[in-house]
Amino acid sequence: MSPSFAPLKNDTFLRACMRQATDYTPIWLMRQAGRYLPEYCATRSQAGSFMGLATNVNFATEVTLQPLARYPLDAAILFSDILTVPDAMGLGLSFAQGEGPRFANPVRDEAAVGQLHVPDMNKLRYVFDAVTSIRKALSGQVPLIGFSGSPWTLACYMVEGAGSDDYRLVKSMLYSRPDLMHRILQTNADSVAAYLNAQIDAGAQAVMIFDSWGGVLADGAFQQFSLAYTSQVLARLTRKGVDDQVVPRIVFTKGGGMWLQEMGQLDCEVLGLDWTMNLGKARALVGQHKALQGNLDPNILFASPDQIEAQVRRVLDSFGPPHQDLHATGPTHIFNLGHGISQYTPPDHVSCLVSAVHSYSRALRRVA
Ligand code: CP3
């Protein structure tokens, strides 16, 4: 039986995803639950490790709600990680304190690729249980976003076995054994589609695909090894959630600005942009089909509140006049950072950011 939840009180984010007019520009932040919040660090030390946090439904629910208790954000994002999927494939994920993720069993040769399978979704039950628990705890305050890594971004970690500066191992495989790379990507696409659909069935109201390392690919390779598989995933997603509402799909390719026109052809509702893109130009290129999400440089949050406000105005102005026709769809913007928030961000600066986005975007609608 599908779970049932309280009615949504703030639908600004979902409306903007669907290119409908809103009273102000909604905002949420990538990595909004994380180490810049002292309460996150406290819960994390109680849990003992990052995976201890992510695999415990109560802890995952608690930390998802932490940023919403501090700031009037317009969406919540499931607290988990993109690497839960390769972990469930048996790659052995660990996060050592102060280090990035690491896989005990990276996929580097034909034998390892041959052993790779779509994981049993029961191994990821803790993620779907967290989605349902968070939806209940939110009581309709704001919508909940589910997420996954893109097939390519997951493959980067699976082959490298950790983060990488040069992507040497994964690119070596891509160029020398493209057949193996395609087999990994196909398994990942099948896994990601099943994983996101299970999140939707558990109560996710929007889903986002993080193609964090799409931008490291050469032109041509991006289309073949990243975009094609993201596109396959999108085609297989359940269109309506447990509330019988459309579930908007967001695709974020970091460093993908030069392929925006091609990404405009994807069967999704929203494209996420990093800080290298101009939102007005992006709107001219794809604004007739897609809502846009982004794209403040996260490092601006280290500047003074005055400078943060000025940069917020710059980003909102760069998008151009807000769409205000309640009877038609039009170009819409969801405010976010161009990548995840840094762990060194002063929490007060986030208050300043959220209030500047809300107040200035309301003012833009009054004058228009
Ligand atoms: O956005 C949110 O608040 C939801 C939670 C979330 C996390 N990771 C929690 C997390 C999301 C959406 C992610 C996605 C993720 N994870 C991506 C894609 C987005 C991006 O940043 O490009 C990637 C590439 C990962 C892989 C990953 N997870 C890395 C490289 C690291 C280590 C780097 C770091 O910041 O420490 C993680 C760990 C991780 N995932 C943390 C959090 C809050 C920090 C770990 C900790 O608490 O010790």
Side-chain angles (χ1 to χ4, degrees):
M1 223 191 61
S2 2
S4 73
F5 304 106
L8 189 57
K9 293 172 201 142
N10 175 354
D11 67 351
T12 315
F13 165 77
L14 291 180
R15 289 183 59 87
C17 287
M18 301 308 293
R19 301 178 62 257
Q20 294 165 3
T22 55
D23 295 342
Y24 62 89
T25 303
I27 173 171
W28 70 276
L29 305 175
M30 291 189 261
R31 292 279 179 98
Q32 63 191 24
R35 285 168 299 189
Y36 74 105
L37 293 176
E39 57 272 33
Y40 170 86
C41 295
T43 312
R44 189 191 189 283
S45 69
Q46 234 182 309
S49 66
F50 175 80
M51 284 309 275
L53 203 53
T55 55
N56 178 298
V57 170
N58 294 329
F59 284 141
T61 304
E62 186 183 319
V63 296
T64 301
L65 298 187
Q66 284 171 346
L68 294 152
R70 273 187 187 251
Y71 316 113
L73 295 159
D74 297 292
I77 180 159
L78 161 71
F79 186 81
S80 190
D81 198 82
I82 63 166
L83 302 178
T84 53
V85 171
D87 183 52
M89 291 172 175
L91 271 60
L93 175 65
S94 63
F95 287 92
Q97 185 88 43
E99 278 177 48
R102 197 160 289 281
F103 284 115
N105 314 305
V107 181
R108 293 199 182 139
D109 53 25
E110 185 150 13
V113 175
Q115 300 218 319
L116 211 57
H117 292 290
V118 175
D120 176 352
M121 288 295 139
N122 276 319
K123 289 198 179 135
L124 292 157
R125 174 68 38 209
Y126 67 91
V127 176
F128 315 133
D129 288 346
V131 169
T132 303
S133 159
I134 296 161
R135 271 296 301 270
K136 286 192 184 135
L138 279 168
S139 303
Q141 189 186 342
V142 290
L144 176 62
I145 304 167
F147 70 88
S148 172
S150 71
W152 163 252
T153 293
L154 295 179
C156 288
Y157 287 98
M158 292 162 70
V159 176
E160 298 286 340
S164 171
D165 292 333
D166 57 5
Y167 304 89
R168 183 169 52 85
L169 300 173
V170 71
K171 287 192 176 188
S172 298
M173 186 189 280
L174 181 156
Y175 288 118
S176 60
R177 290 295 307 271
D179 59 315
L180 294 185
M181 192 44 87
H182 281 298
R183 275 163 66 189
I184 299 178
L185 292 168
Q186 191 57 58
T187 305
N188 288 357
D190 296 346
S191 307
V192 166
Y195 184 58
L196 288 175
N197 282 336
Q199 292 183 37
I200 292 169
D201 291 343
Q205 288 153 292
V207 289
M208 175 148 163
I209 298 176
F210 286 90
D211 188 25
S212 303
W213 309 131
V216 308
L217 285 167
D219 183 47
F222 170 72
Q223 290 81 343
Q224 215 188 331
F225 294 95
S226 174
L227 196 61
Y229 290 94
T230 296
S231 168
Q232 260 199 46
V233 172
L234 292 169
R236 285 147 67 186
L237 295 183
T238 311
R239 299 303 306 117
K240 284 192 174 179
V242 291
D243 317 86
D244 208 33
Q245 297 273 316
V246 172
V247 178
R249 298 157 295 178
I250 310 169
V251 175
F252 169 61
T253 295
K254 183 164 174 281
M258 60 281 210
W259 300 302
L260 195 58
Q261 224 149 2
E262 283 155 279
M263 296 188 65
Q265 307 300 312
L266 284 173
D267 182 18
C268 67
E269 285 66 33
V270 187
L271 292 177
L273 297 168
D274 68 27
W275 58 86
T276 60
M277 275 305 286
N278 174 280
L279 288 180
K281 286 186 190 153
R283 172 178 173 162
L285 282 174
V286 298
Q288 312 86 307
H289 325 285
K290 307 291 182 222
L292 297 176
Q293 176 173 281
N295 68 343
L296 191 81
D297 183 343
N299 292 302
I300 287 170
L301 292 172
F302 296 119
S304 69
D306 282 359
Q307 285 161 320
I308 295 169
E309 282 171 25
Q311 294 292 333
V312 163
R313 288 198 295 273
R314 185 189 54 79
V315 169
L316 287 167
D317 288 339
S318 75
F319 182 78
H323 160 59
Q324 299 197 74
D325 181 349
L326 288 171
H327 306 289
T329 55
T332 52
H333 175 207
I334 297 148
F335 206 101
N336 206 314
L337 303 176
H339 199 200
I341 191 168
S342 157
Q343 62 174 310
Y344 305 109
T345 306
D348 289 357
H349 288 194
V350 177
S351 301
C352 162
L353 166 71
V354 175
S355 95
V357 169
H358 283 164
S359 64
Y360 187 64
S361 67
R362 274 188 201 278
L364 281 175
R365 283 160 174 81
R366 280 198 296 273
V367 295

